[in-house]
Amino acid sequence: MTQRLQHLLEPGEPQCIASGYTFTEGPLWDPAGRFYFADVRDDKLYRIVPGGAPELVRETCNGNGTCFDLQGRIVQCEGLKRRVTCWNPASGTLEVLVEHADGKKFNRPNDVICHSNGDLLFSDPAFRVPLEDRELDAAIWRVSPDGAVSLVANIEYPNGLCLSPDETRLYVANTRWNKYIHELTLDASGAVAARRIFADMTWNAAPGSPDGIKCDVDGRVYCTGPGGIWVFGPDGVYVGTIEHPKPAVNFCFGGDDMKTLFVCAHDAIYTRRMKMPGLPHPYGATRRR
């Protein structure tokens, strides 16, 4: 299916820039020119300056999805600790951002994104936590800049998250049994005004599940799934699949022009060049002002 995407892909094959890991996840591009990724099962967070070797920057506890907050701190979901943390790359200080909602423990926070207003949204799937240990249903949660925690929506098996370019739509990759992308329409206050199934991903029997998800500047939605990274138009129409040498688990856009895909593919990291830039992180937009 990659050949259907020549208007989006530059010629050339994916390039492996790091390998030998257990399970790579949490890709994050730093507008200062660095790329971060997690080795989830080895409890480590790494940083790469393109062209250089990976550098271990901190130990985690099942550290998975990452994003920057508007202050440039790295927010990360740490599943086995059932919490979301905040780490300052400049000072090395770590703090626990949230562990509970209404006094109840989260299940296994998985992915986190930042809204331009400073809100943090994270997914909290429940089904890998024993039933007797679950205190909350699977959901998307919001942490506002003042620390207040609020429910966005309950979702069957929420995993990767991304916002549309105008931030009026929240896309949620639903993993495991029913493979699809959920679309939540948000009103001006951030509340859910409508919801629908944006894309069905069950029709391909190849290995892989909806997981990492991102938008480009034109609003196309990219999501890992069976056979590679699926691409959909803003209307949910399937465009094609970006194939990779190893199954893609997660990815992000990066590079100075935001036209490099950094792809987490199980034990390795690949890059490939795109013709279309991805959305910059709100922290990156803040730095450019």
Side-chain angles (χ1 to χ4, degrees), residues 197-211:
I197 302 300
F198 174 78
D200 176 17
M201 300 176 72
T202 61
W203 54 266
N204 188 321
S209 296
D211 193 335

Side-chain angles (χ1 to χ4, degrees), residues 148-181:
V149 179
S150 58
L151 176 68
V152 177
N154 291 112
I155 301 284
E156 183 182 16
Y157 199 118
N159 198 326
L161 306 174
C162 75
L163 288 163
S164 62
D166 63 4
E167 299 184 320
T168 62
R169 285 165 289 169
L170 172 65
Y171 299 105
V172 184
N174 192 88
T175 304
R176 304 293 176 179
W177 310 285
N178 298 311
K179 300 177 182 182
Y180 61 88
I181 299 173

Side-chain angles (χ1 to χ4, degrees), residues 25 49 51 81 86 124 128-129 134 142 154 161 200 213:
E25 256 284 10
V49 175
K81 286 285 189 180
C86 189
D124 186 39
R128 293 182 69 185
V129 176
R134 294 180 206 163
R142 175 186 292 107
N154 291 112
L161 306 174
D200 176 17
I213 185 168

Side-chain angles (χ1 to χ4, degrees), residues 23-27 36-40 44-46 63-64 66 76:
F23 194 83
T24 58
E25 256 284 10
Y36 289 87
F37 70 94
D39 192 350
V40 178
K44 291 179 171 61
L45 181 69
Y46 292 91
N64 198 335
T66 60
Q76 187 168 29

Side-chain angles (χ1 to χ4, degrees), residues 126-263:
F127 296 106
R128 293 182 69 185
V129 176
L131 184 60
E132 63 271 18
D133 294 333
R134 294 180 206 163
E135 299 178 30
L136 293 164
D137 292 332
I140 308 298
W141 295 90
R142 175 186 292 107
V143 185
S144 61
D146 64 4
V149 179
S150 58
L151 176 68
V152 177
N154 291 112
I155 301 284
E156 183 182 16
Y157 199 118
N159 198 326
L161 306 174
C162 75
L163 288 163
S164 62
D166 63 4
E167 299 184 320
T168 62
R169 285 165 289 169
L170 172 65
Y171 299 105
V172 184
N174 192 88
T175 304
R176 304 293 176 179
W177 310 285
N178 298 311
K179 300 177 182 182
Y180 61 88
I181 299 173
H182 215 113
E183 179 191 88
L184 306 179
T185 301
L186 306 178
D187 65 20
S189 71
V192 175
R195 58 194 296 173
R196 70 179 181 117
I197 302 300
F198 174 78
D200 176 17
M201 300 176 72
T202 61
W203 54 266
N204 188 321
S209 296
D211 193 335
I213 185 168
K214 302 290 186 295
C215 276
D216 68 21
V217 293
D218 285 346
R220 296 180 191 85
V221 178
Y222 301 64
C223 186
T224 60
I229 298 173
W230 294 38
V231 183
F232 300 91
D235 54 2
V237 173
Y238 172 72
V239 178
T241 299
I242 303 172
E243 298 166 351
H244 275 271
K246 295 182 179 180
V249 177
N250 206 340
F251 65 97
C252 71
F253 287 87
D256 292 341
D257 57 4
M258 295 297 290
K259 291 183 180 180
T260 297
L261 274 189
F262 291 84
V263 181

